[in-house]
Amino acid sequence: NAGVTQTPKFRILKIGQSMTLQCTQDMNHNYMYWYRQDPGMGLKLIYYSVGAGITDKGEVPNGYNVSRSTTEDFPLRLELAAPSQTSVYFCASRDTGEGYNEQFFGPGTRLTVL
Amino acid sequence: GQQVMQIPQYQHVQEGEDFTTYCNSSTTLSNIQWYKQRPGGHPVFLIQLVKSGEVKKQKRLTFQFGEAKKNSSLHITATQTTDVGTYFCAAPSNTGKLIFGQGTTLQVKP
């Protein structure tokens, strides 16, 4: 299994541009998450999904959109990029089942908005 | 909303010294997880504690869950340079989200 994969690894955007960060997992996990991590800071939840067709906002959703048309994919869309969106973006997934299972994180996308 | 507070934010130790990070919640937790993030890397799951008073060990790492299930700690004995990174505690909310602490960044001087 590849686990959670993210593309691209790095990206530089100009203010006002848009882009989609891709996230795919091959573990058949229902739950998927998008986090952002600013330099030296913790993880802030942007959006999450409990299954295909179901998404919900986290603590910092403004400026982002998501969709979940399949179990495997959970893309994050940035519209009208702003310098405040410069960050590292992590996608994560977890299995459902008895108890609360660990989250598996992708390697991250490092985004700079200039 | 539910919060998980983690202290200290940073810790610098000499190689061979011990290290401890603490995690506190105002509410009772069903379980708590610990993750490690190496510099430039992504968070990686270390362990999950479920039972009141539970203690688990992984080589030089000792994890504890408080009796009231409101706090937890991670203790590293005789730190090594490979222990460098940020350690996060995290607790599940009742909506399927994982609430992360702010993390403790450990620097180890050789």
Side-chain angles (χ1 to χ4, degrees), chain A residues 30-35 44-62 64-68 74-76, chain B residues 93-98:
Chain A
N30 282 327
Y31 285 70
M32 294 188 74
Y33 306 83
W34 273 107
Y35 297 91
K44 294 182 180 177
L45 182 65
I46 306 171
Y47 271 95
Y48 68 107
S49 169
V50 300
I54 306 169
T55 62
D56 206 349
K57 296 178 181 178
E59 55 180 318
V60 290
N62 290 345
Y64 307 94
N65 276 301
V66 293
S67 59
R68 183 95 183 271
F74 190 38
L76 177 71
Chain B
S93 73
N94 55 9
T95 56
K97 297 181 285 189
L98 199 59

Side-chain angles (χ1 to χ4, degrees), chain A residues 12 14-15 17 22 28 30 35 43 45 49 55 63-64 66 69 76 83 87 96 101 103-104 107 111:
Chain A
I12 298 175
K14 294 182 179 178
I15 294 172
Q17 287 185 321
Q22 301 291 346
N28 201 34
N30 282 327
Y35 297 91
L43 297 160
L45 182 65
S49 169
T55 62
Y64 307 94
V66 293
S69 56
L76 177 71
S87 191
T96 49
N101 299 304
Q103 287 193 8
F104 293 85
L111 175 67

Side-chain angles (χ1 to χ4, degrees), chain A residues 31 33 35 37 40-43 45 48 50 57-59 90 94 99-108 110, chain B residues 9-10 30-31 33 35 37 40-45 48 86 88 92-93 95-98 100-103 105:
Chain A
Y31 285 70
Y33 306 83
Y35 297 91
Q37 185 176 39
M41 304 294 284
L43 297 160
L45 182 65
Y48 68 107
V50 300
K57 296 178 181 178
E59 55 180 318
F90 290 104
R94 74 173 177 95
Y100 193 102
N101 299 304
E102 67 182 276
Q103 287 193 8
F104 293 85
F105 284 80
R110 282 154 179 78
Chain B
Q9 189 174 2
Y10 298 99
S30 59
N31 64 72
Q33 299 179 356
Y35 291 78
Q37 183 178 25
H42 59 277
V44 175
F45 175 81
Q48 177 169 272
T86 301
F88 293 97
S93 73
T95 56
K97 297 181 285 189
L98 199 59
F100 282 86
Q102 302 94 315
T105 298

Side-chain angles (χ1 to χ4, degrees), chain B residues 7-95:
Chain B
I7 56 169
Q9 189 174 2
Y10 298 99
Q11 185 95 50
H12 294 244
V13 300
Q14 198 73 38
E15 189 172 20
E17 292 181 337
D18 292 357
F19 159 77
T20 305
T21 173
Y22 300 91
C23 191
N24 294 289
S25 169
S26 58
T27 60
T28 302
L29 304 172
S30 59
N31 64 72
I32 194 153
Q33 299 179 356
W34 286 92
Y35 291 78
K36 177 182 178 181
Q37 183 178 25
R38 295 181 187 276
H42 59 277
V44 175
F45 175 81
L46 292 176
I47 209 161
Q48 177 169 272
L49 305 172
V50 179
K51 298 177 184 175
S52 167
E54 189 169 15
V55 178
K56 286 188 176 180
K57 292 191 176 184
Q58 289 180 350
K59 297 182 181 178
R60 294 176 295 101
L61 278 62
T62 301
F63 303 85
Q64 291 190 324
F65 202 8
E67 293 288 343
K69 300 182 76 172
K70 288 185 175 182
N71 58 77
S72 181
S73 65
L74 158 60
H75 179 82
I76 302 178
T77 303
T79 54
Q80 300 175 358
T81 54
T82 53
D83 296 323
V84 163
T86 301
Y87 294 85
F88 293 97
C89 62
S93 73
N94 55 9
T95 56

